[in-house]
Amino acid sequence: MKVVSAGLTDVGRKRNHNEDSFLIDDELQLYVVADGMGGHAGGGTASRIAVETIDKELRRARDSRDNPFVTAPNLQDALLPDALRTAVERACLAIFTTAQEDPRLSGMGTTVISLVVRDNLAFFAHVGDSRAYLVRGPLIQQISEDHSLVNEQIKAGMITPEEAKHSRYKNIITRSVGFEEEVQVDVMGVVAEPGDVFLLCSDGLANMVEDRELHEVVQATGNFADIPKRLIDLANERGGDDNITVIVVQMSA
């Protein structure tokens, strides 16, 4: 399948610096959004190290003898999920090591949502509360599961999804890349169809815009490249409480 992509990041209305980073590598068909935390220097450093390390590690894997980018007949036989997981794990170690070497960066970390496409297979690696969505025709589905305190509370039946939107704990995540030396990475795979749109975003978008509104903007925007800006503008109209980053990736035959 062919892939078309577009991405954009914005500082938002309330912050004075942007700790998000994103990567669009159309050659590898690799796409990453990272939302850093840990102060002015730390958050931006962590997210930048994450996207750079994941890109570097997957390029290295592609050039190795056991190239995971070889075509696989199905999701189960694909080598890319393990390669993507390893790349995120190495990003985690790189961030942690950097923080140990510089006291100003102590405690930094980042979320990661990453997508790599090969033929009609799409693979995601995920840590934190940045999200991946699939838009397919009239439907939108969140592919990733938030590693956040409020999501744990929802699953335990302690609060409702509506209460979670207004919780003072909604920005507390339960996993991050680089805060500790190792991290558990969730990996998912999807068989893509022509016309599918994958949307990756930081919580600066997801916290401000409903899923149905994401779907409406994706479907209603005539020029695909304009989608990230339209979504960022919408989040800013709602207050722009955080940095906002969006990547959209469209599959076609």
Side-chain angles (χ1 to χ4, degrees):
M1 281 198 201
K2 298 175 183 175
V3 172
V4 178
S5 65
L8 194 64
T9 189
D10 187 81
V11 70
R13 295 279 173 86
K14 302 289 179 67
R15 304 292 178 91
N16 59 14
H17 61 283
N18 195 342
E19 294 183 308
D20 289 2
S21 298
F22 75 97
L23 171 76
I24 290 180
D25 185 338
D26 283 323
E27 182 192 353
L28 278 187
Q29 295 186 335
L30 169 67
Y31 310 91
V32 186
V33 169
D35 178 357
M37 63 211 75
H40 185 96
T45 300
S47 65
R48 176 180 53 79
I49 292 173
V51 299
E52 291 176 352
T53 303
I54 293 167
D55 197 37
K56 178 182 70 177
E57 291 295 334
L58 283 176
R59 286 182 169 275
R60 180 183 297 167
R62 183 192 60 179
D63 297 335
S64 70
R65 185 179 61 185
D66 300 320
N67 177 11
F69 285 84
V70 294
T71 298
N74 52 52
L75 288 170
Q76 291 73 26
D77 294 330
L79 301 176
L80 270 174
D82 283 341
L84 193 53
R85 176 187 286 109
T86 298
V88 177
E89 290 172 344
R90 289 180 177 168
C92 183
L93 179 59
I95 294 166
F96 181 82
T97 302
T98 302
Q100 299 306 300
E101 295 168 351
D102 186 343
R104 295 172 299 174
L105 303 175
S106 178
M108 70 176 175
T110 184
T111 69
V112 165
I113 182 70
S114 54
L115 161 67
V116 64
V117 176
R118 185 65 178 170
D119 300 322
N120 68 328
L121 303 181
F123 300 101
F124 302 83
H126 167 55
V127 177
D129 63 354
S130 293
R131 290 182 177 179
Y133 291 91
L134 166 62
V135 176
R136 177 176 288 171
L139 303 175
I140 182 168
Q141 178 183 0
Q142 183 179 334
I143 295 172
S144 57
E145 180 180 340
D146 295 350
H147 301 139
S148 66
L149 180 57
V150 294
N151 191 48
E152 294 296 329
Q153 292 175 322
I154 291 169
K155 290 195 295 182
M158 297 168 62
I159 62 174
T160 66
E162 189 60 34
E163 289 171 332
K165 294 175 188 176
H166 309 289
S167 170
R168 58 178 166 172
Y169 304 117
K170 69 179 182 180
N171 293 322
I172 297 177
I173 61 174
T174 54
R175 278 190 231 171
S176 67
V177 177
F179 183 72
E180 297 177 314
E181 192 170 358
E182 297 179 350
V183 68
Q184 180 182 346
V185 183
D186 287 357
V187 178
M188 301 80 72
V190 172
V191 178
E193 298 179 1
D196 282 354
V197 175
F198 296 110
L199 189 155
L200 312 182
C201 67
S202 60
D203 68 337
L205 179 69
N207 284 342
M208 307 303 289
V209 182
E210 300 286 341
D211 290 5
R212 61 173 180 79
E213 296 173 310
L214 299 177
H215 182 268
E216 288 169 4
V217 171
V218 169
Q219 296 289 68
T221 303
N223 184 354
F224 186 78
D226 292 338
I227 292 174
K229 185 175 189 308
R230 288 198 59 189
L231 289 171
I232 286 171
D233 287 347
L234 185 55
N236 277 326
E237 288 169 13
R238 303 277 168 82
D241 290 347
D242 201 350
N243 307 146
I244 312 157
T245 303
V246 186
I247 297 175
V248 284
V249 179
Q250 185 173 48
M251 312 292 292
S252 62

